[in-house]
Amino acid sequence: MVYKLNKALYGLRQAPRAWNHKLNQILKELNFVRCAKEPALYRRQDKEQLLIVAVYVDDLLVTGSSLSLVQEFKQGMSSKFEMSDLGRLTYYLGIEVLQEDSGITLKQSRYAEKILEETGMSDCNAVQVPMDSGSKLSKAIDDQSIDESEYRRNIGCLRYLIHTRPDLSFAVGILSRYMHNPKRSHGVALKHVLRYLQGTSGYGLTFKKGSSSGLVGYCDSSLNIDEDDGKSTSGHIFYLNNCPITWCSQKQETVALSSCEELKRVTVRIDNKSAIALTKNPVFHGRSKHIHRKFHFVRECVENELVEVEYVPGIEQKADILTKALGRIKFKEQRSFIGVQDLSEQDGLKLTGDNVSVSLK
C-alpha cells in the first residue's frame, strides 16, 4: 500500500523545507521582508518603527525599536502557531547575552571553556597574544603531518568563537589555510592560540546605546605575507555608533559595500594614500590596467557620494590587528580599538531590554 501525506511529518527529509516554507509564508503575510543575503533574517519597517526577526529552526529571536511592536508580533504569531514565550534573551547558540540599560554585552566564555576542555588545554599556561609577531607559517611539505580530523574540528570551533572575538580573526584565518594537510608547525601554532584563549576566555563585546553616528569602516592590507604564494592578507571592520558590527580577515579579501545604496553615506578609513588617490582619479591609465574591473566599484560609489574614503594614520588603523601578527603591547592596544574587553567580572545575567526569544510548535 502507498500512502500520500497531506503534510510533511516531523523527522522526514522534507520536513525542514516544508517548515521553512510555511514560516516564510506566515512572516510575509505579516508584512516582513526576507533579507536577500541572510535568508534567516526578516525585517519589517513602518516609517521609523523597525522590527527584526532572526530564525533558527523553530526558535525566533525578536528585537525592535519599541516593546509594543514586539508584543504585537507575538500576538500575531500566536494566532498562527502554538507558541512558547521564552522571555528576554540570555543565551543563544552558545552566545551569552547580558542586557543592561547602557547596552548589550555578548560573550562566549562557556563555549571557550568547552573548547579548552575538549582539547585538553584547560590547565595550560596562558600567553598574551594569539600568534607571535615573528611567526611565518607555510605548507611545510617536509614537516611531520598531524591528525587532520582533530585539527579541522578545533579550527571549526575557533571560527565560531570569532562571532564575539575579532581579536582571534587573523590567527584563526591563517591556520584555516592548512586544514587539508596540517603539519606539526601548524599544530604548535594552534596550541599557541588555545593558550591565549585560556587567559582571555571571559572576553567579549559590548554594544552601547547612543545617538547614531553612521557607518564607519577601517580597511587595511599586508602585502605579500603568504610564504607559499606571496598573496596579501587584508581585513576590514565596520562600526555603527562606535561599536563593531562586522569584520573579516582573509587572503585577497575586498571591502563589501554592495548594499551601500541603502545607507545615506559610508565612511571607509584606510592608511594608503595611493589607494585614496586612485578612488578619486577618473582616468584609467596604463599603470592601473592590471587592476581588475570589479575593484573599481569603490570608485563608482565615491563618485555617487555613497562612500567617502578618508586617510587615517597607521597608528590609528583599527583593522591592523586583522592583517598581521602584532607584538604584545601593540596587540593589546589594537584589541581595545576593536571593542574586545574583559567581561569576566559581569557574573549575573540581568534581564533588561527588548530582545526576546520564542519557540514555535
Side-chain angles (χ1 to χ4, degrees):
M1 298 181 64
V2 178
Y3 292 90
K4 179 181 178 181
L5 298 178
N6 294 324
K7 64 178 182 179
L9 296 179
Y10 184 79
L12 294 182
R13 279 179 148 185
Q14 299 88 341
R17 181 176 180 84
W19 162 248
N20 183 265
H21 177 73
K22 177 66 174 179
L23 181 59
N24 180 64
Q25 182 180 1
I26 295 299
L27 290 175
K28 286 186 176 180
E29 290 178 0
L30 296 174
N31 299 323
F32 278 89
V33 178
R34 194 175 195 172
C35 180
K37 296 185 178 180
E38 182 53 63
L41 189 65
Y42 291 81
R43 182 186 65 170
R44 187 178 72 187
Q45 188 165 5
D46 183 15
K47 297 181 180 179
E48 296 183 356
Q49 299 295 323
L50 178 64
L51 188 64
I52 298 176
V53 176
V55 179
Y56 179 71
V57 191
D58 59 349
D59 292 329
L60 305 181
L61 173 61
V62 188
T63 184
S65 54
S66 68
L67 189 57
S68 60
L69 283 177
V70 176
Q71 296 293 347
E72 179 185 350
F73 170 77
K74 290 194 293 184
Q75 292 176 2
M77 294 298 290
S78 298
S79 63
K80 305 290 185 180
F81 302 99
E82 274 186 48
M83 188 179 72
S84 300
D85 190 348
L86 303 181
R88 290 173 179 148
L89 183 66
T90 58
Y91 193 80
Y92 188 73
L93 299 178
I95 301 176
E96 304 165 48
V97 183
L98 175 62
Q99 303 188 50
E100 298 179 313
D101 294 336
S102 59
I104 299 177
T105 296
L106 303 179
K107 63 178 181 178
Q108 295 173 274
S109 57
R110 298 180 192 175
Y111 185 75
E113 293 170 0
K114 184 178 179 180
I115 294 175
L116 294 171
E117 182 180 350
E118 292 181 349
T119 55
M121 301 288 288
S122 298
D123 299 324
C124 66
N125 296 325
V127 295
Q128 300 186 21
V129 293
M131 180 174 287
D132 291 331
S133 58
S135 297
K136 293 184 179 180
L137 296 178
S138 64
K139 293 181 179 180
I141 300 177
D142 298 331
D143 200 358
Q144 181 181 357
S145 299
I146 60 176
D147 187 0
E148 290 186 14
S149 60
E150 182 180 357
Y151 183 85
R152 292 173 181 174
R153 181 173 62 252
N154 295 335
I155 292 297
C157 293
L158 290 174
R159 290 196 69 86
Y160 187 73
L161 189 64
I162 294 176
H163 282 90
T164 59
R165 295 293 302 273
D167 55 323
L168 295 172
S169 295
F170 175 76
V172 176
I174 292 293
L175 295 175
S176 298
R177 302 175 185 177
Y178 309 104
M179 288 195 293
H180 64 287
N181 188 18
K183 302 294 184 178
R184 185 176 59 86
S185 58
H186 307 142
V188 173
L190 175 59
K191 287 186 177 180
H192 192 92
V193 175
L194 294 173
R195 290 177 61 190
Y196 170 74
L197 184 61
Q198 164 69 7
T200 60
S201 60
Y203 281 53
L205 295 174
T206 299
F207 300 89
K208 297 182 179 180
K209 291 183 179 179
S211 59
S212 178
S213 58
L215 188 63
V216 179
Y218 291 82
C219 182
D220 188 39
S221 179
S222 295
L223 302 177
N224 304 327
I225 66 171
D226 192 283
E227 294 292 321
D228 299 310
D229 53 19
K231 290 186 177 181
S232 306
T233 296
S234 62
H236 64 258
I237 181 169
F238 282 85
Y239 292 80
L240 187 63
N241 296 341
N242 297 320
C243 297
I245 58 172
T246 180
W247 51 84
C248 183
S249 174
Q250 190 171 346
K251 184 188 294 186
Q252 292 293 345
E253 181 69 17
T254 58
V255 180
L257 296 173
S258 58
S259 60
C260 62
E261 299 89 359
E262 302 176 2
L263 302 170
K264 293 182 178 179
R265 195 177 187 88
V266 179
T267 301
V268 179
R269 295 173 179 171
I270 61 177
D271 55 5
N272 191 323
K273 293 183 177 180
S274 299
I276 295 176
L278 189 59
T279 63
K280 299 178 180 179
N281 183 8
V283 180
F284 187 76
H285 49 75
R287 293 185 179 180
S288 62
K289 65 181 181 180
H290 62 285
I291 301 176
H292 198 281
R293 184 182 299 274
K294 67 180 181 180
F295 295 108
H296 292 277
F297 168 72
V298 177
R299 178 191 293 174
E300 296 177 1
C301 291
V302 172
E303 292 177 354
N304 296 329
E305 298 184 351
L306 296 172
V307 175
E308 181 180 2
V309 182
E310 295 181 353
Y311 172 77
V312 61
I315 195 173
E316 300 177 10
Q317 176 56 264
K318 296 183 179 181
D320 206 28
I321 195 174
L322 303 176
T323 61
K324 59 181 72 70
L326 302 174
R328 177 174 56 87
I329 298 177
K330 182 68 173 179
F331 178 82
K332 289 184 177 181
E333 180 184 7
Q334 288 286 320
R335 186 176 62 188
S336 64
F337 283 167
I338 61 177
V340 178
Q341 53 185 304
D342 189 1
L343 304 175
S344 57
E345 297 180 357
Q346 302 180 7
D347 293 327
L349 293 177
K350 302 178 182 179
L351 302 181
T352 58
D354 296 332
N355 297 328
V356 300
S357 58
V358 296
S359 180
L360 305 177
K361 299 179 181 178

